[in-house]
Amino acid sequence: MAKGFKQKIRQKNTENSGFGSNAPSGRFINKDGLPNVKRRGVNVFNRLSWYHTMLNLSSFRFLSYLVIAYILINLGFAFIYYLIGVEHLTGIDKSDPLNEFIDVFFFSSQTFTTVGYGRIAPVGFMASLVATFEAFLGLLTFAIATGLFYGRFSRPRAYLRFSENMVLAPFRGSTALMFRLAPYKNNALTDANVIVSAAIEVIENGTPKSNFYRLETQMNKINTLALNWTVVHKIDENSPFYGFTEEDFKNTDIEIIVQLRAFDEVFSNTVVQRTSYTSNEIVYGAKFTPMYYPSKDNLTTILNLDKINEYQKAELPIAEEVES
Amino acid sequence: MAKGFKQKIRQKNTENSGFGSNAPSGRFINKDGLPNVKRRGVNVFNRLSWYHTMLNLSSFRFLSYLVIAYILINLGFAFIYYLIGVEHLTGIDKSDPLNEFIDVFFFSSQTFTTVGYGRIAPVGFMASLVATFEAFLGLLTFAIATGLFYGRFSRPRAYLRFSENMVLAPFRGSTALMFRLAPYKNNALTDANVIVSAAIEVIENGTPKSNFYRLETQMNKINTLALNWTVVHKIDENSPFYGFTEEDFKNTDIEIIVQLRAFDEVFSNTVVQRTSYTSNEIVYGAKFTPMYYPSKDNLTTILNLDKINEYQKAELPIAEEVES
Amino acid sequence: MAKGFKQKIRQKNTENSGFGSNAPSGRFINKDGLPNVKRRGVNVFNRLSWYHTMLNLSSFRFLSYLVIAYILINLGFAFIYYLIGVEHLTGIDKSDPLNEFIDVFFFSSQTFTTVGYGRIAPVGFMASLVATFEAFLGLLTFAIATGLFYGRFSRPRAYLRFSENMVLAPFRGSTALMFRLAPYKNNALTDANVIVSAAIEVIENGTPKSNFYRLETQMNKINTLALNWTVVHKIDENSPFYGFTEEDFKNTDIEIIVQLRAFDEVFSNTVVQRTSYTSNEIVYGAKFTPMYYPSKDNLTTILNLDKINEYQKAELPIAEEVES
Amino acid sequence: MAKGFKQKIRQKNTENSGFGSNAPSGRFINKDGLPNVKRRGVNVFNRLSWYHTMLNLSSFRFLSYLVIAYILINLGFAFIYYLIGVEHLTGIDKSDPLNEFIDVFFFSSQTFTTVGYGRIAPVGFMASLVATFEAFLGLLTFAIATGLFYGRFSRPRAYLRFSENMVLAPFRGSTALMFRLAPYKNNALTDANVIVSAAIEVIENGTPKSNFYRLETQMNKINTLALNWTVVHKIDENSPFYGFTEEDFKNTDIEIIVQLRAFDEVFSNTVVQRTSYTSNEIVYGAKFTPMYYPSKDNLTTILNLDKINEYQKAELPIAEEVES
């Protein structure tokens, strides 16, 4: 069967994907656009860029980590002050050990944040020395936090939404593979261009291997990415899918990899977003329904992002059989 | 009438504008360069990049928001401290409830800003705990503010002023569409290039639709953008406006979209600015008056930015009629 | 005379310099690479990007401005507190008005920097309110300072030194215009390319005008800009200076504009630096002396930046006369 | 001998390396990718970009410098306060000079970090004045630290590991020079391209000189740099190494310079990394062993970074002799 395709596919695999051809059955690029690769060897600290990690955390987890770190650091210093002895601190409630610890904890936090009310203050040498470094550490910590916050929200991103499915739709008397995307935030993208390639598993002398093909698109560059953009790959002689039947699409291990590049005018930076579609995400015989329309006053255009995944059935012309 | 133009326009619409052709009667690109599109669907928080929003605020509104946030946060914490009870704070003026609240408010602000005089200080567990987190919150808030300030003023921008109108001026025995632009700040732009395209509404089999055309310019790249730059689109056989009469310009729905890219040597970054001109912003039979001249000592050039919109009447050669 | 050159120069002026051709007798590009243009109109605040200004200040002036601002702000607030009345502050030395003012000044600074010892602290409503905002203002001010510091030292710059003079040197049996440049800091520049153009004043039907010519160089791109780079413009048929005599060089109003672009691997950013040479900065009949040599152990190369301007006399071949 | 190569090498040296050809016997590019050049002249402060230096420090040294600076600054100010006289400070332990100094030191640190407990506070004019500036200095210092931290961890880097050796391996019936590289962190690199050039020392009329050659690679651009990438330079007629024997490789002074450029999607920035290989780092007759394999569940690919230097012996075809 798969062998059949091999016959059908006349294009030679041109793409330098960077992925080996004897790749696993899983996808090459995950839906979120990151390559489906696990790194081993080296130790985890060298293998992780903690900055990349921090930037990719959700806001909630990022803030949680900050709070937890804040509490742990204060507990640690509180413990140190407690060991040094509460007599080295003024204004401690000495009624019982717990209250003592509570007060040194609060002293620690007042030092770490440099709020330093002074109700509790260090008198002895050791306590003062530790406080000296805690305040220093506090400021450096917030310096780092400042950098992380800025790094997180100034990080250029495309803020694109891709349709969950690709559709195989009628197009100018023949058929075409289509997906669409739209910017969903108030960013201004220009000079957008898209690169689409396909990884198709074929059987070569018995063993399955993945070949990579660049897919031509009707239009691969637009000036202003303000509305949605439906990217169209016409299935003609130049397409590796030329002559594919519905079964072929279903039964072959296909992955279509999409990369979009654009220039964000607020970040003044190039932004990139990727995604991929596998066989089971391709809908045979469907076309997307329009997702934008003029406003009532007909003075502006409304883009409804909720419709991005909407499509309707569509009759396909019969794919001309390819003589083997 | 409009149908007439269709005849006149020999160029096929080449531009991939990213805008649908069945667009509304309003403009595609607003005067400020942003696309005239409203997004719906998704919820507003996902639809807005708060960072983009903060960067686009005017300085005044940005600062106002900071002050308001500061007051609200302090009121909120003051309320909490008040509920906890003023007996958990030292140095409170207990003369009457209002004074109590005023003092907890000030205590809150002294904690949030980490100024912590200590005249008012927390003694009880709850008050200390809340203060611990308020100081922490305060520092994170200012970390974010730091990032926003930096993001706002380090954001690369072209700082260009465009002439409000386009003029249809005599040019080398024929006519040309012209507009001009000039950098108005002490920034140094190099390798500037401009892309001009036109959206023209035509009637195709009864229904109006917008076609997009790339407009050739006499010169589309200059090395140093120090003086004003008059961009010239000669109306010849290659122009979609070839053979247009004054009435044609007036009665057709035309939008001319301009994008300028340059390299800013201070930001060391590419900057982009866009604008657009509609039919009623095109002045027929006029030419721009010079806006720069040598200094008295003839050692430097003076660029007078106030003159950017100045033009004077100019006789146009009769547009040769196009045989239909 | 100048008319003579016009004959001599066979190239048509190709360059889109962005400068008018009827420019002043002064230079177009200053030695520091900024265009020699003054902007008028608009008000000064719109005309200046205060961020660009702050980035271009010398470290000394920048710090001075910060200190002065700090003192002025504190004096201002001190004055306000003084008006409100020192009785609204605890711990003020009331011995005499001057001491009072001195103490409110220090209170102000302790509030602005959020150090808040508390020896002096606000008690009344007004004083507390003002202090609330002073502390807030203080933090925002330092947030801005943080951004400026970062903006200043993270600003990508080429750190190139250009030779003060151009030399007209013998080159492969003919002559060539040469200048050289070298990176003088521990930055790593790669993929450097240079663009050289010349503005030559000619008399066209009586009036002087400046024509711009692109000057070809023997090599306009190098991989690694680690040593000095001598840029060579051979004076042959393709050069506008073809057939120029020593007098021609002296008596013509020539300006040679240089732009160098490279990629800095630490900033991971493109950096640009420009300069220009005028007639009186061109040395006729000289060649640069080498400025790098192998180290004693012959394992590394030494680049001596102090030699960048060193050249020695050199005999030039007689420029073949150009028949007019 | 070397002269022999000269014969053998038919290519003319095309590369504009930016390095002189009469370079030292040491390498041009160090293993870490920085050019092997020492700068002299100018004074060291102008020669060093302290920002570049700070960014290139190891985290440990960077933090150590901060701590040392913190201690020195506080000692300095403590000394000043001590000279002014402890009677200008409240709450000082006057039991003996040492305790006095210790307390002014702690007062200094509490001022510099703006923690300002107030247990020790300035009363006199001089002490207050100095404290006013110390707090100011403290905040500026932490503003700079914030910028440095951000600059350090936001600095775009490729995080690539190169194989320590190049191998001369059998390739399609002939031989090829190969090295490989792999990203070792959780960054996402796309559009990677590699430039390989060789510096070969030849004897020209008695004196050794280095010629630079661009080396063609089988594939010089890949879409996604997720797995390892083995870069292959086939040794055929177009290679300067055509006809080189094992001895030739051993006895010639060869340096192969590699530059890799890619786009990092987290930094949204181009990143560059370079390295070089010298004769003694080229293994004759070996091929790399695979370093990635499918995961157990066959759903993802495992890349084992520890194997990057692993190779095994491989028989080479006899290099066809080049007639001299």
Side-chain angles (χ1 to χ4, degrees):
Chain A
M1 182 67 203
K3 193 165 176 315
F5 308 143
K6 187 55 187 168
Q7 260 58 29
K8 285 181 175 170
I9 304 172
R10 281 103 187 274
Q11 292 64 32
K12 25 204 306 301
N13 55 342
T14 50
E15 279 276 296
N16 300 330
S17 70
F19 292 105
S21 58
N22 53 357
S25 61
R27 57 205 309 164
F28 291 98
I29 297 286
N30 295 324
K31 206 68 183 159
D32 67 2
L34 290 175
N36 178 16
V37 172
K38 284 208 177 58
R39 299 198 170 82
R40 291 283 165 269
V42 210
N43 69 59
V44 67
F45 297 107
N46 290 338
R47 214 167 56 217
L48 284 182
S49 159
W50 71 272
Y51 181 66
H52 282 61
T53 311
M54 281 298 180
L55 256 57
N56 289 327
L57 285 178
S58 72
S59 300
F60 177 76
R61 295 190 65 183
F62 177 65
L63 289 171
S64 313
Y65 287 171
L66 288 180
V67 173
I68 292 163
Y70 178 58
I71 295 171
L72 292 180
I73 291 171
N74 282 325
L75 281 175
F77 275 100
F79 193 66
I80 296 171
Y81 293 118
Y82 193 76
L83 289 183
I84 292 170
V86 293
E87 62 279 11
H88 290 74
L89 296 170
T90 61
I92 293 284
D93 167 356
K94 298 213 178 54
S95 56
D96 66 61
L98 177 59
N99 289 345
E100 285 182 353
F101 189 81
I102 287 173
D103 266 4
V104 290
F105 176 85
F106 289 135
F107 167 71
S108 163
S109 71
Q110 292 162 20
T111 302
F112 190 75
T113 57
T114 77
V115 74
Y117 299 110
R119 209 208 84 234
I120 313 174
V123 279
F125 177 76
M126 281 309 294
S128 302
L129 189 66
V130 174
T132 295
F133 281 100
E134 183 176 14
F136 178 68
L137 182 67
L139 286 170
L140 293 193
T141 306
F142 286 105
I144 293 171
T146 304
L148 286 179
F149 271 108
Y150 181 69
R152 280 176 63 86
F153 54 64
S154 74
R155 171 188 168 190
R157 251 173 304 188
Y159 297 119
L160 291 175
R161 190 153 292 184
F162 289 94
S163 60
E164 272 163 18
N165 297 102
M166 271 189 136
V167 297
L168 206 66
F171 180 75
R172 300 192 187 155
S174 136
T175 56
L177 264 175
M178 302 183 184
F179 67 94
R180 63 182 177 182
L181 56 95
Y184 64 95
K185 281 192 190 279
N186 55 338
N187 51 348
L189 299 176
T190 52
D191 302 320
N193 68 74
V194 68
I195 296 172
V196 186
S197 50
I200 308 181
E201 186 174 85
V202 294
I203 311 291
E204 271 181 356
N205 36 51
T207 61
K209 77 188 280 298
S210 293
N211 284 348
F212 289 83
Y213 305 88
R214 172 65 55 98
L215 302 188
E216 315 258 306
T217 55
Q218 292 304 103
M219 176 166 100
N220 61 11
K221 191 173 186 331
I222 60 177
N223 295 349
T224 311
L225 185 46
L227 298 174
N228 62 301
W229 180 12
T230 302
V231 179
V232 175
H233 166 65
K234 185 157 185 269
I235 297 184
D236 56 15
E237 295 70 14
N238 307 319
S239 166
F241 301 117
Y242 185 55
F244 267 40
T245 65
E246 183 161 5
E247 289 60 40
D248 295 342
F249 276 107
K250 287 204 173 10
N251 304 334
T252 327
D253 194 343
I254 298 171
E255 179 176 354
I256 288 164
I257 295 167
V258 176
Q259 177 183 298
L260 186 128
R261 263 182 125 86
F263 184 83
D264 179 299
E265 296 190 355
V266 172
F267 292 123
S268 275
N269 206 333
T270 301
V271 288
V272 170
Q273 194 169 324
R274 291 183 298 166
T275 190
S276 82
Y277 298 92
T278 52
S279 314
N280 57 342
E281 291 164 335
I282 300 176
V283 180
Y284 195 87
K287 65 170 194 261
F288 287 116
T289 52
M291 61 185 285
Y292 67 90
Y293 43 86
S295 64
K296 292 213 176 11
D297 60 12
N298 194 34
L299 285 178
T300 180
T301 305
I302 307 292
L303 177 66
N304 186 339
L305 292 157
D306 293 339
K307 290 173 161 294
I308 193 160
N309 294 320
E310 272 184 23
Y311 56 79
Q312 64 204 60
K313 279 220 71 28
E315 207 49 66
L316 292 186
I318 297 87
E320 51 270 30
E321 195 42 67
V322 184
E323 62 291 338
S324 301
Chain B
M1 181 67 204
K3 194 167 173 316
F5 308 141
K6 186 58 186 166
Q7 259 60 28
K8 286 180 175 171
I9 303 171
R10 282 104 186 275
Q11 293 64 33
K12 25 204 306 301
N13 55 342
T14 50
E15 279 277 296
N16 299 331
S17 69
F19 293 104
S21 57
N22 51 357
S25 61
R27 56 207 309 163
F28 291 98
I29 298 285
N30 295 325
K31 207 69 184 161
D32 67 2
L34 289 175
N36 178 16
V37 172
K38 283 206 178 58
R39 297 197 172 82
R40 292 283 164 269
V42 210
N43 69 59
V44 66
F45 297 108
N46 290 337
R47 212 167 58 216
L48 285 182
S49 159
W50 71 271
Y51 181 66
H52 282 61
T53 310
M54 281 299 181
L55 257 56
N56 288 327
L57 286 178
S58 72
S59 300
F60 178 76
R61 294 190 66 183
F62 176 65
L63 289 172
S64 311
Y65 286 171
L66 288 180
V67 172
I68 292 164
Y70 177 57
I71 295 171
L72 292 181
I73 291 170
N74 282 325
L75 282 174
F77 275 100
F79 193 67
I80 296 171
Y81 292 119
Y82 193 76
L83 289 183
I84 292 170
V86 291
E87 63 278 11
H88 291 75
L89 296 171
T90 62
I92 293 285
D93 167 356
K94 298 213 178 54
S95 57
D96 65 62
L98 178 58
N99 288 346
E100 286 181 354
F101 189 83
I102 288 172
D103 266 6
V104 291
F105 176 85
F106 290 135
F107 167 70
S108 163
S109 70
Q110 292 162 20
T111 302
F112 190 75
T113 57
T114 77
V115 74
Y117 300 110
R119 209 208 84 234
I120 313 173
V123 278
F125 176 75
M126 282 308 294
S128 302
L129 189 66
V130 174
T132 295
F133 281 99
E134 184 176 15
F136 177 68
L137 182 66
L139 286 170
L140 293 193
T141 306
F142 287 105
I144 293 172
T146 303
L148 286 179
F149 271 108
Y150 180 69
R152 280 176 64 88
F153 53 65
S154 73
R155 170 189 168 188
R157 250 173 305 187
Y159 296 120
L160 292 176
R161 191 153 291 185
F162 289 94
S163 60
E164 272 163 18
N165 296 103
M166 271 189 136
V167 297
L168 206 66
F171 180 75
R172 301 192 186 153
S174 134
T175 56
L177 263 174
M178 302 183 183
F179 65 95
R180 64 182 176 182
L181 56 94
Y184 64 94
K185 283 192 188 280
N186 56 337
N187 51 349
L189 300 174
T190 53
D191 303 319
N193 68 74
V194 68
I195 296 172
V196 186
S197 50
I200 308 180
E201 186 174 85
V202 295
I203 312 290
E204 270 181 357
N205 38 51
T207 60
K209 76 187 281 299
S210 293
N211 284 348
F212 288 83
Y213 305 88
R214 173 65 55 97
L215 302 187
E216 316 258 305
T217 56
Q218 291 306 100
M219 176 167 101
N220 60 12
K221 190 172 186 331
I222 60 178
N223 295 349
T224 311
L225 185 47
L227 298 174
N228 62 301
W229 181 13
T230 303
V231 179
V232 175
H233 166 65
K234 184 157 186 270
I235 297 184
D236 57 13
E237 295 69 14
N238 307 319
S239 166
F241 299 117
Y242 185 53
F244 266 40
T245 65
E246 182 161 6
E247 288 61 39
D248 295 343
F249 276 108
K250 287 204 172 10
N251 304 334
T252 327
D253 194 342
I254 298 172
E255 179 176 354
I256 288 164
I257 295 167
V258 175
Q259 178 183 298
L260 186 128
R261 264 181 123 85
F263 184 83
D264 179 299
E265 295 190 355
V266 172
F267 292 124
S268 276
N269 206 333
T270 301
V271 288
V272 170
Q273 193 168 325
R274 291 183 297 165
T275 190
S276 82
Y277 298 92
T278 51
S279 314
N280 57 342
E281 291 165 335
I282 300 177
V283 180
Y284 195 86
K287 65 169 191 262
F288 288 117
T289 52
M291 61 186 283
Y292 68 87
Y293 44 85
S295 63
K296 296 216 172 7
D297 59 12
N298 195 34
L299 285 179
T300 180
T301 305
I302 308 291
L303 177 66
N304 186 340
L305 292 156
D306 293 339
K307 290 172 161 293
I308 193 159
N309 294 321
E310 273 184 21
Y311 55 81
Q312 64 204 60
K313 278 223 70 29
E315 207 49 67
L316 292 188
I318 297 86
E320 51 272 29
E321 195 41 67
V322 185
E323 62 291 338
S324 302
Chain C
M1 182 66 203
K3 195 167 172 315
F5 308 143
K6 186 57 187 167
Q7 260 59 29
K8 285 180 175 170
I9 303 172
R10 282 106 185 274
Q11 291 65 33
K12 20 205 308 300
N13 54 341
T14 50
E15 279 276 296
N16 300 332
S17 70
F19 292 104
S21 58
N22 51 356
S25 60
R27 56 207 307 164
F28 291 98
I29 297 285
N30 295 325
K31 208 67 182 160
D32 67 3
L34 288 176
N36 179 16
V37 172
K38 283 207 178 56
R39 296 198 173 82
R40 291 284 165 270
V42 209
N43 69 59
V44 66
F45 297 108
N46 290 337
R47 213 168 57 217
L48 285 182
S49 159
W50 70 272
Y51 181 66
H52 283 62
T53 311
M54 282 298 181
L55 257 56
N56 289 327
L57 286 178
S58 72
S59 299
F60 178 75
R61 295 190 65 184
F62 177 65
L63 289 172
S64 312
Y65 286 171
L66 288 181
V67 172
I68 291 163
Y70 177 58
I71 295 171
L72 292 181
I73 291 171
N74 282 325
L75 281 175
F77 275 101
F79 194 66
I80 296 171
Y81 293 119
Y82 194 75
L83 290 183
I84 293 170
V86 293
E87 62 278 11
H88 290 75
L89 296 171
T90 62
I92 293 284
D93 167 356
K94 299 214 177 52
S95 56
D96 66 62
L98 178 57
N99 288 345
E100 286 181 354
F101 189 83
I102 288 172
D103 266 6
V104 290
F105 175 84
F106 289 135
F107 167 70
S108 164
S109 70
Q110 291 162 21
T111 302
F112 190 75
T113 57
T114 77
V115 74
Y117 299 111
R119 207 208 86 233
I120 314 174
V123 277
F125 176 76
M126 281 309 294
S128 303
L129 189 66
V130 174
T132 295
F133 281 100
E134 184 176 14
F136 178 68
L137 182 66
L139 287 171
L140 293 193
T141 306
F142 286 105
I144 293 172
T146 303
L148 285 179
F149 271 108
Y150 180 69
R152 280 177 62 89
F153 52 65
S154 74
R155 171 187 166 189
R157 250 172 307 188
Y159 296 120
L160 291 176
R161 191 152 292 186
F162 288 94
S163 60
E164 272 162 18
N165 297 102
M166 271 189 136
V167 297
L168 206 64
F171 179 75
R172 303 196 185 151
S174 137
T175 56
L177 264 174
M178 302 183 185
F179 65 95
R180 64 182 175 182
L181 56 95
Y184 63 94
K185 282 192 189 278
N186 55 338
N187 51 348
L189 299 175
T190 53
D191 303 320
N193 68 74
V194 68
I195 295 172
V196 186
S197 50
I200 308 181
E201 187 173 84
V202 296
I203 311 291
E204 272 181 355
N205 36 52
T207 61
K209 75 188 283 298
S210 293
N211 284 348
F212 288 83
Y213 305 87
R214 172 67 55 98
L215 302 188
E216 316 257 305
T217 56
Q218 291 305 103
M219 176 167 99
N220 60 13
K221 190 173 186 332
I222 60 178
N223 295 348
T224 310
L225 185 47
L227 299 173
N228 62 302
W229 180 13
T230 303
V231 179
V232 175
H233 165 67
K234 184 158 186 270
I235 296 184
D236 56 14
E237 295 70 11
N238 308 318
S239 166
F241 301 116
Y242 185 55
F244 267 40
T245 66
E246 183 160 6
E247 289 59 40
D248 295 342
F249 275 107
K250 286 204 173 9
N251 304 335
T252 326
D253 194 343
I254 298 172
E255 179 175 353
I256 288 164
I257 296 167
V258 175
Q259 176 183 299
L260 186 128
R261 264 181 123 84
F263 184 83
D264 179 299
E265 295 190 356
V266 171
F267 292 124
S268 275
N269 206 333
T270 301
V271 288
V272 170
Q273 193 168 324
R274 292 183 296 166
T275 191
S276 82
Y277 298 92
T278 51
S279 313
N280 57 341
E281 290 165 335
I282 300 176
V283 180
Y284 195 86
K287 64 169 194 262
F288 288 117
T289 53
M291 61 186 284
Y292 68 88
Y293 44 86
S295 62
K296 296 218 171 8
D297 60 12
N298 194 34
L299 285 178
T300 180
T301 306
I302 308 291
L303 177 67
N304 186 340
L305 292 157
D306 292 339
K307 290 173 161 294
I308 193 159
N309 294 321
E310 273 184 21
Y311 56 80
Q312 64 205 59
K313 278 224 68 30
E315 207 49 68
L316 291 188
I318 296 84
E320 52 273 27
E321 195 42 66
V322 183
E323 63 290 339
S324 301
Chain D
M1 181 67 201
K3 194 166 173 313
F5 307 143
K6 186 56 186 166
Q7 260 59 29
K8 284 180 175 171
I9 303 173
R10 282 104 186 277
Q11 292 66 32
K12 18 205 306 301
N13 55 342
T14 50
E15 278 277 296
N16 300 331
S17 70
F19 293 105
S21 58
N22 52 355
S25 61
R27 55 205 310 163
F28 291 98
I29 298 285
N30 295 325
K31 207 69 183 160
D32 67 3
L34 289 175
N36 178 16
V37 172
K38 284 208 177 57
R39 297 199 171 81
R40 291 283 165 268
V42 209
N43 69 60
V44 67
F45 297 107
N46 290 337
R47 214 168 56 217
L48 283 182
S49 158
W50 70 271
Y51 181 67
H52 283 62
T53 311
M54 281 297 179
L55 257 57
N56 289 326
L57 286 177
S58 71
S59 300
F60 178 76
R61 296 191 64 184
F62 176 66
L63 289 171
S64 312
Y65 287 171
L66 288 181
V67 173
I68 292 163
Y70 177 58
I71 295 170
L72 292 180
I73 291 171
N74 281 325
L75 282 174
F77 275 101
F79 193 67
I80 296 171
Y81 292 119
Y82 193 76
L83 290 183
I84 292 170
V86 292
E87 62 278 10
H88 290 75
L89 296 171
T90 61
I92 293 284
D93 167 356
K94 300 213 176 54
S95 57
D96 66 61
L98 177 58
N99 288 345
E100 286 181 354
F101 189 82
I102 287 173
D103 266 6
V104 290
F105 176 84
F106 289 135
F107 167 71
S108 163
S109 70
Q110 291 162 20
T111 303
F112 190 75
T113 57
T114 77
V115 73
Y117 299 111
R119 207 207 85 235
I120 313 175
V123 278
F125 176 77
M126 281 309 294
S128 303
L129 189 65
V130 174
T132 295
F133 281 100
E134 183 175 15
F136 178 69
L137 182 67
L139 286 170
L140 293 192
T141 306
F142 286 105
I144 293 171
T146 303
L148 286 179
F149 272 107
Y150 181 69
R152 280 176 63 87
F153 53 65
S154 74
R155 170 186 168 191
R157 251 173 306 188
Y159 297 120
L160 291 175
R161 191 152 292 184
F162 288 93
S163 60
E164 272 163 18
N165 297 103
M166 271 189 136
V167 298
L168 206 66
F171 179 77
R172 301 195 185 151
S174 137
T175 56
L177 264 173
M178 301 183 186
F179 66 94
R180 63 181 176 183
L181 57 95
Y184 63 94
K185 282 192 189 280
N186 54 339
N187 51 348
L189 299 175
T190 54
D191 303 319
N193 67 76
V194 69
I195 296 172
V196 187
S197 50
I200 307 180
E201 187 174 84
V202 294
I203 310 291
E204 271 181 356
N205 37 51
T207 60
K209 75 188 283 299
S210 293
N211 285 348
F212 288 83
Y213 305 88
R214 171 68 54 97
L215 301 188
E216 315 259 306
T217 56
Q218 292 304 104
M219 177 166 99
N220 61 13
K221 190 173 186 331
I222 60 177
N223 296 348
T224 311
L225 185 47
L227 298 174
N228 63 301
W229 180 13
T230 302
V231 179
V232 175
H233 166 66
K234 185 158 185 270
I235 296 183
D236 56 15
E237 295 71 12
N238 308 320
S239 165
F241 301 116
Y242 185 54
F244 267 40
T245 64
E246 183 161 7
E247 288 60 40
D248 296 341
F249 275 108
K250 287 206 172 7
N251 304 335
T252 326
D253 194 343
I254 297 171
E255 179 176 353
I256 287 164
I257 295 167
V258 176
Q259 176 183 299
L260 186 128
R261 263 181 124 85
F263 184 83
D264 179 299
E265 296 190 356
V266 171
F267 292 124
S268 274
N269 206 333
T270 300
V271 289
V272 170
Q273 194 169 325
R274 292 184 296 167
T275 191
S276 82
Y277 297 92
T278 52
S279 314
N280 56 343
E281 291 165 335
I282 300 176
V283 180
Y284 195 86
K287 64 170 194 263
F288 288 117
T289 53
M291 61 186 284
Y292 68 88
Y293 44 86
S295 62
K296 294 215 174 9
D297 60 12
N298 194 36
L299 286 178
T300 180
T301 306
I302 308 291
L303 176 67
N304 185 339
L305 292 156
D306 292 340
K307 289 172 163 293
I308 193 159
N309 294 321
E310 272 184 23
Y311 55 80
Q312 64 204 58
K313 279 222 67 32
E315 206 49 67
L316 291 189
I318 297 85
E320 51 272 29
E321 195 42 66
V322 184
E323 63 290 338
S324 302

